[in-house]
Amino acid sequence: MASLHVHADELLKAKVGVLRLSSSAPVFIAQEKGYFRDAGLDIDLKFFDAAQPIAVATTSGDVDFGITAFTAGLYNLAGKGTLKVIGGMSREKAGYPLIGYFASNNAYAAGLKTPRDLAGKRIAVTQVGSSFHYSLGLLADRYGFKLAEIKLLPLQSLSNAAAALKGETVDAALLPISSARKLVDDGGAKLLGWVGDETPWQLGAVFASPKTLTNKPLVTKLLAALERADREYHDVILAGIADGKAPINEKTKPLLEIIAKYTNLPLEQVVGNCAYIDPDGKLDVKNVANQIEWLQAQGFVDKGFGVDAILAKDYVKVD
């Protein structure tokens, strides 16, 4: 038994900030199946309610690593050199429902039938400069309308945006399927389409503070454990997705149950909410560069830096 204790003492400890969303599925798989431990790590998962506080906590040292969606705030911190991106996580990708465009029943009845029709409408998002806002910017670029034509209503939370949609105080909202499914099932709103089908982009990343990055063994081990989980999640769950849903079978069920446990969702909901993640943990650097430029042009991110400034090049696998 003594040797086991010695081994436990030798594990490198680290805190990882994360949201209880299926877009972080590999993190939960690596923790639950012991991949972090196998890599020589003792990982303490810290759960947050929004993406931006994770970036702040990583900068301040409250957590060693953050795994969440890109935000304007994250880019501003990274631009000052207080955190660096070390790997990719979730993506908006065709065929993998994640964020949807939803119309209120009245707006739908009045002709709002496709994402292209969102020009000139009142649209609820969580925050200005959020991933939802950027998704609308990409949509405007794709269909040749001006983002300024949209009346954007930042309602601060997903539940507020869903309530506004149901209450007909907005024409449309961008929401994750996990937040909107009940609303749509109950007939309270209509699905217009998916961001991943219209404008695929790199949504999430793994990042660390410069202090954490000085501990090369820690960073290398964490990324190796995550990659092992990325690959398994991709090969077991994502490979089986049809019509936006993962099958429930003896192969997928153990992983789906892990995701359900960490996201506090029933298994039936998890299957339709599996975000695409690159099996090698690669980052779409070209798209990240586009995000930074877009956010800088909108005035949400400080000017004077580009994508190269925020990457830890020793670690990032470029897609």
Side-chain angles (χ1 to χ4, degrees):
M1 275 310 284
S3 65
L4 276 176
H5 288 137
V6 171
H7 181 61
D9 290 343
E10 285 169 0
L11 293 174
L12 295 172
K13 287 185 174 12
K15 290 180 184 147
V16 174
V18 71
L19 300 175
R20 289 190 182 275
L21 296 176
S22 58
S23 42
S24 300
V27 184
F28 311 141
I29 292 166
Q31 182 76 322
E32 198 72 6
K33 294 193 78 173
Y35 298 165
F36 287 133
R37 194 160 272 272
D38 291 351
L41 301 174
D42 177 5
I43 295 294
D44 178 13
L45 295 182
K46 297 281 181 200
F47 292 100
F48 289 75
D49 294 324
Q52 174 57 14
I54 296 180
V56 174
T58 307
T59 296
S60 68
D62 289 347
V63 297
D64 302 294
F65 299 95
I67 299 173
T68 191
F70 284 114
T71 58
L74 188 154
Y75 284 129
N76 274 329
L77 291 168
K80 293 184 177 74
T82 61
L83 56 85
K84 298 263 186 196
V85 175
I86 58 174
M89 196 46 75
S90 59
R91 294 185 189 197
E92 285 287 5
K93 189 177 166 78
Y96 301 88
L98 192 58
I99 308 295
Y101 317 93
F102 298 90
S104 74
N105 287 329
N106 287 351
Y108 188 83
L112 175 55
K113 299 287 203 270
T114 71
R116 173 179 257 161
D117 305 327
L118 287 167
K121 301 293 188 284
R122 293 167 304 150
I123 306 176
V125 296
T126 49
Q127 289 174 317
V128 166
S130 64
S131 54
F132 305 107
H133 194 174
Y134 175 68
S135 295
L136 280 172
L138 291 176
L139 191 75
D141 288 348
R142 177 172 182 189
Y143 290 119
F145 62 86
K146 288 193 162 56
L147 190 59
E149 291 172 35
I150 288 172
K151 184 162 170 34
L152 204 71
L153 295 149
L155 299 179
Q156 306 313 317
S157 78
L158 295 170
S159 52
N160 288 350
L165 194 61
K166 188 181 179 184
E168 302 282 354
T169 57
V170 295
D171 300 315
L174 268 75
L175 293 165
I177 182 56
S178 52
S179 302
R181 181 175 274 111
K182 187 170 177 354
L183 188 62
V184 172
D185 288 351
D186 293 347
K190 298 280 194 296
L191 170 68
L192 301 178
W194 301 105
V195 170
D197 293 342
E198 296 285 342
T199 57
W201 63 280
Q202 180 79 51
L203 186 66
V206 188
F207 47 93
S209 68
K211 181 174 178 277
T212 302
L213 289 170
T214 60
N215 189 341
K216 206 164 176 148
L218 176 65
V219 180
T220 306
K221 286 169 192 245
L222 179 103
L223 288 174
L226 282 177
E227 212 174 294
R228 183 179 172 190
D230 288 343
R231 171 62 63 185
E232 184 175 3
Y233 171 74
H234 179 277
D235 292 355
V236 174
I237 292 180
L238 295 183
I241 285 184
D243 297 325
K245 289 198 168 177
I248 301 177
N249 56 43
E250 57 189 43
K251 216 172 135 192
T252 62
K253 201 173 177 192
L255 294 187
L256 290 168
E257 282 174 343
I258 291 170
I259 301 166
K261 173 184 165 182
Y262 282 88
T263 56
N264 298 324
L265 287 173
L267 201 65
E268 304 70 55
Q269 277 196 34
V270 171
V271 297
N273 190 25
C274 295
Y276 184 82
I277 290 165
D278 183 84
D280 300 312
K282 285 179 185 162
L283 185 76
D284 182 348
V285 173
K286 200 171 156 205
N287 171 256
V288 175
N290 178 278
Q291 290 182 46
I292 294 169
E293 285 161 20
W294 186 86
L295 290 161
Q296 286 171 335
Q298 301 289 327
F300 301 137
V301 166
D302 304 331
K303 292 185 166 64
F305 70 93
V307 69
D308 289 349
I310 72 160
L311 302 179
K313 290 207 174 52
D314 294 359
Y315 301 108
V316 172
K317 289 187 172 180
V318 178
D319 192 12

